[in-house]
Amino acid sequence: MEDRMLRLRAAANAALSRYEPLALVVAPLLTLLLARSLHALFLSVREKGIKAAVLGLLFACVKSIPGVSWYIESEKKKVVEKLQSGSKSKRDSWRTELPNIGLGKATIQELEDARNKDIAWQGKCSGTVYIGGSDSENHFALINEAHAMFSHTNPLHQDVFQSVARYEAEVVAMTAALLSSREPASGGQICGNMTSGGTESILLAVKTSRDYMRTKKGITKPEMIIPGSAHSAYDKAAQYFNIKLWRVPVNKDYVADVQRIRRCINGNTILIVGSAPGFPHGVIDPIEELGDLASRYGVCLHVDLCLGGFVLPFARKLGYPIPPFDFSVKGVTSISTDVHKYGLGPKGTSVVLYRNREIRKHQFVAVTEWSGGLYVSPTMAGSRPGGLIAGAWAAMMSLGLNGYLENTRQMMEVSKKIQKGIEEIPGLFIIGQPHMTVVAFGSNDIDIFEVNDMMTSKGWHLNALQKPNSIHICVTLQHLHVVGDFLRDLRESVKMVKENPGPISGGLAPLYGAAGKMPDRGIVQDLLVEFMDSSC
């Protein structure tokens, strides 16, 4: 054996003696560099596809040409200024220092004056304000009064503000009961916490799933898989928590493509996601199929019920064909739902729920080595506004099951009227088959973003969507008495765009159109960051 090794050594030395020593050192390094480059290319193609990966490489090369980068930056500034639409001039009058002498009660008049200059939103906004009527009476007034009573409380200090701690627990329990916590299939251990909104609820669910799966499976390079229609909060969570994100295109019905999601699952997958309904098109993903998938592969499944949590249970009671979506579905490990949407609570109130405490405990942060003492916190915030918790509790208690049922009945009827009215407008089509109160529509004949600009000029504020280009209206109690006005203005807007195609002055259709056609999505991302940086 030793002789054989010596012969091999001699043969290797003889073969290598023909090369320069420098070449023998450099060659492995170049080979390693090439291997790393090919690996990076493979990952880029796997993540983006061949076309997007090649385009990305091409644009990176083009931007390295002297002068090109400068030109792109100058053009980005022009687009950002267009997006701002004169907001810089408004900022010139904003205060940058404390007044020398406090205004006292005159502050209230300043607040009133500023509020009166806001855009009129009553009945004109998609989503945004979910409570009906005036913001100074009825349900609004009740919530405001409850909030004022507890505006200086903080559930961080449970020993002091015991009432607020109780209200949070009751809001969580009542919400869980709506989502099948009392059904045997749920396991009877549903638990959760209140958060500041749907985004925080989603962030917490993702963080909890990551840590739970690290404990359960030892996953240290976590990945999650979401449909293309899933909320952008998952992208935020992926960046915050260092999780690889796979965004899978939806199928022809604009719902999660279960087979495509299955093909993306691997040993590092911690979480898959479904929405009920998805924000863009108001359709419910196949939660049962996703639940089967999650159970089969032993991964977590989060259901985003931020829009539907306080509507779908009642729509089902009213006889609408609502597919399974909650903890009655095997495989669902967490749910997020917003009280400040159709729960009609104050802004800044949401609930994140888990199937059991074993999962939820991974949400908490406990610190033992701080000189300030032992510390443990359930959510991202430390101090939290107890007034919002009290306002959410007041909203739920004042409405009751009968109130939510009646609200849902009215909103579902209005949504169907709007859907039918849009279908009757030549040139427009409904996207998917809406399950709830979001109606998305597009056009193959005209620029739908120009229609959106025209509607904006008439005082409406709808949501512009992409993939495909479309707009939607999220129906709320504010819309109960403006259906006729909305459909009339939409018909007129479509007619005007057909007769006079082209962007209207001050409209954003050219920007949306250009962004949709721009192959380098990195530039679009840069534009959004530049816009945000100049706006706050």
Side-chain angles (χ1 to χ4, degrees):
M1 184 67 178
E2 185 176 348
D3 290 342
R4 185 179 180 184
M5 292 300 297
L6 289 173
R7 286 196 299 273
L8 286 174
R9 178 183 175 186
N13 287 332
L16 294 173
S17 63
R18 293 174 292 176
Y19 300 98
E20 291 287 336
L22 182 62
L24 294 176
V25 173
V26 171
L29 295 177
L30 290 177
T31 303
L32 179 61
L33 180 62
L34 177 62
R36 288 178 65 89
S37 299
L38 290 174
H39 182 254
L41 179 62
F42 170 77
L43 291 178
S44 180
V45 170
R46 180 170 175 246
E47 179 179 354
K48 304 175 183 177
I50 295 178
K51 181 179 178 182
V54 171
L55 283 172
L57 180 62
L58 178 63
F59 274 97
C61 294
V62 170
K63 284 188 282 189
S64 66
I65 299 174
V68 172
S69 181
W70 173 86
Y71 175 77
I72 291 175
E73 288 300 318
S74 64
E75 290 299 306
K76 280 198 293 189
K77 288 181 180 179
K78 293 178 184 178
V79 174
V80 170
E81 289 174 1
K82 175 73 173 175
L83 282 169
Q84 287 175 329
S85 300
S87 63
K88 276 191 175 180
S89 60
K90 297 175 185 176
R91 292 172 66 93
D92 292 339
S93 62
W94 291 7
R95 289 189 177 88
T96 57
E97 293 180 307
L98 284 169
N100 290 328
I101 301 175
L103 301 181
K105 289 187 177 180
T107 305
I108 300 300
Q109 186 58 52
E110 285 229 3
L111 290 170
E112 188 69 29
D113 293 342
R115 188 177 71 158
N116 290 337
K117 293 176 184 177
D118 284 343
I119 291 173
W121 49 262
Q122 289 81 356
K124 288 283 189 174
C125 292
S126 172
T128 311
V129 180
Y130 294 79
I131 303 171
S134 167
D135 62 346
S136 61
E137 57 186 16
N138 299 327
H139 191 74
F140 273 110
L142 182 143
I143 288 176
N144 292 342
E145 185 175 353
H147 180 275
M149 290 174 64
F150 291 85
S151 61
H152 297 288
T153 64
N154 182 356
L156 180 66
H157 307 286
Q158 294 189 19
D159 56 332
V160 179
F161 304 113
Q162 299 177 27
S163 56
V164 174
R166 168 198 155 195
Y167 293 150
E168 176 174 12
E170 291 186 0
V171 167
V172 170
M174 289 188 288
T175 303
L178 291 177
L179 304 177
S180 298
S181 68
R182 296 182 178 277
E183 292 188 16
S186 74
Q189 299 183 48
I190 307 301
C191 55
N193 296 91
M194 287 190 68
T195 71
S196 62
T199 293
E200 187 186 355
S201 290
I202 288 172
L203 289 174
L204 286 171
V206 172
K207 183 266 183 193
T208 303
S209 299
R210 182 198 66 179
D211 294 354
Y212 173 66
M213 293 299 285
R214 182 169 56 202
T215 300
K216 182 180 178 182
K217 286 189 171 183
I219 295 175
T220 57
K221 295 182 178 180
E223 301 181 7
M224 64 176 168
I225 308 165
I226 67 174
S229 56
H231 198 276
S232 53
Y234 296 101
D235 295 81
K236 186 180 288 188
Q239 293 184 36
Y240 284 176
F241 305 137
N242 195 27
I243 297 172
K244 177 69 177 177
L245 178 69
W246 296 101
R247 186 177 281 275
V248 178
V250 295
N251 65 20
K252 61 182 178 61
D253 297 317
Y254 301 98
V255 298
D257 190 321
V258 178
Q259 293 308 312
R260 281 188 172 184
I261 289 175
R262 181 187 61 78
R263 288 195 291 269
C264 289
I265 294 177
N266 59 52
N268 288 323
T269 303
I270 60 165
L271 176 70
I272 59 177
V273 167
S275 303
F279 169 82
H281 313 122
V283 292
I284 298 175
D285 287 327
I287 304 301
E288 277 192 313
E289 293 179 50
L290 291 173
D292 289 340
L293 204 60
S295 297
R296 192 188 326 158
Y297 287 92
V299 300
C300 295
L301 168 60
H302 180 75
V303 179
D304 181 357
L305 272 167
C306 289
L307 264 176
F310 285 85
V311 175
L312 294 178
F314 303 104
R316 176 181 285 167
K317 286 180 180 294
L318 291 168
Y320 287 95
I322 306 297
F325 58 86
D326 55 20
F327 284 113
S328 63
V329 177
K330 181 183 177 182
V332 173
T333 53
S334 57
I335 286 176
S336 53
T337 185
D338 288 355
V339 187
H340 67 205
K341 288 190 172 72
Y342 290 118
L344 306 186
K347 288 298 180 186
T349 52
S350 178
V351 173
V352 59
L353 298 168
Y354 299 96
R355 184 169 287 276
N356 55 55
R357 296 179 183 275
E358 179 62 25
I359 300 173
R360 187 182 65 157
K361 71 179 183 181
H362 294 279
Q363 174 182 289
F364 305 154
V365 172
V367 181
T368 62
E369 302 306 310
W370 179 36
S371 60
L374 299 177
Y375 178 89
V376 62
S377 176
T379 61
M380 291 188 169
S383 293
R384 292 184 292 149
L388 294 180
I389 294 173
W393 183 88
M396 296 174 72
M397 292 296 291
S398 66
L399 288 166
L401 291 173
N402 62 320
Y404 284 117
L405 196 65
E406 176 59 19
N407 288 340
T408 300
R409 183 189 66 76
Q410 295 182 76
M411 290 187 295
M412 291 294 286
E413 288 177 358
V414 165
S415 300
K416 298 306 177 185
K417 287 180 182 177
I418 288 177
Q419 180 178 340
K420 184 174 184 295
I422 293 173
E423 290 172 334
E424 292 173 350
I425 299 175
L428 299 184
F429 62 86
I430 301 295
I431 294 181
Q433 298 180 354
H435 285 103
M436 210 182 82
T437 50
V438 174
V439 183
F441 53 98
S443 176
N444 292 322
D445 303 330
I446 54 178
D447 188 332
I448 197 66
F449 295 138
E450 291 180 13
V451 173
N452 189 38
D453 284 343
M454 196 64 67
M455 289 292 284
T456 300
S457 71
K458 295 177 181 292
W460 297 92
H461 301 276
L462 308 178
N463 290 95
L465 314 171
Q466 59 180 350
K467 299 180 180 181
N469 290 350
S470 51
I471 54 182
H472 86 206
I473 179 170
C474 176
V475 176
T476 73
L477 292 172
Q478 287 285 327
H479 299 120
L480 297 186
H481 307 296
V482 297
V483 178
D485 296 339
F486 173 78
L487 292 173
R488 182 195 65 240
D489 287 347
L490 183 58
R491 279 192 294 269
E492 291 177 1
S493 296
V494 170
K495 181 181 178 183
M496 293 176 72
V497 171
K498 281 183 177 179
E499 294 174 350
N500 302 283
I504 67 173
S505 178
L508 296 178
L511 293 172
Y512 276 108
K517 296 174 183 176
M518 195 174 292
D520 185 3
R521 306 307 289 174
I523 292 180
V524 179
Q525 186 179 40
D526 290 344
L527 284 173
L528 294 176
V529 171
E530 290 286 345
F531 170 68
M532 181 55 63
D533 185 55
S534 63
S535 303
C536 62

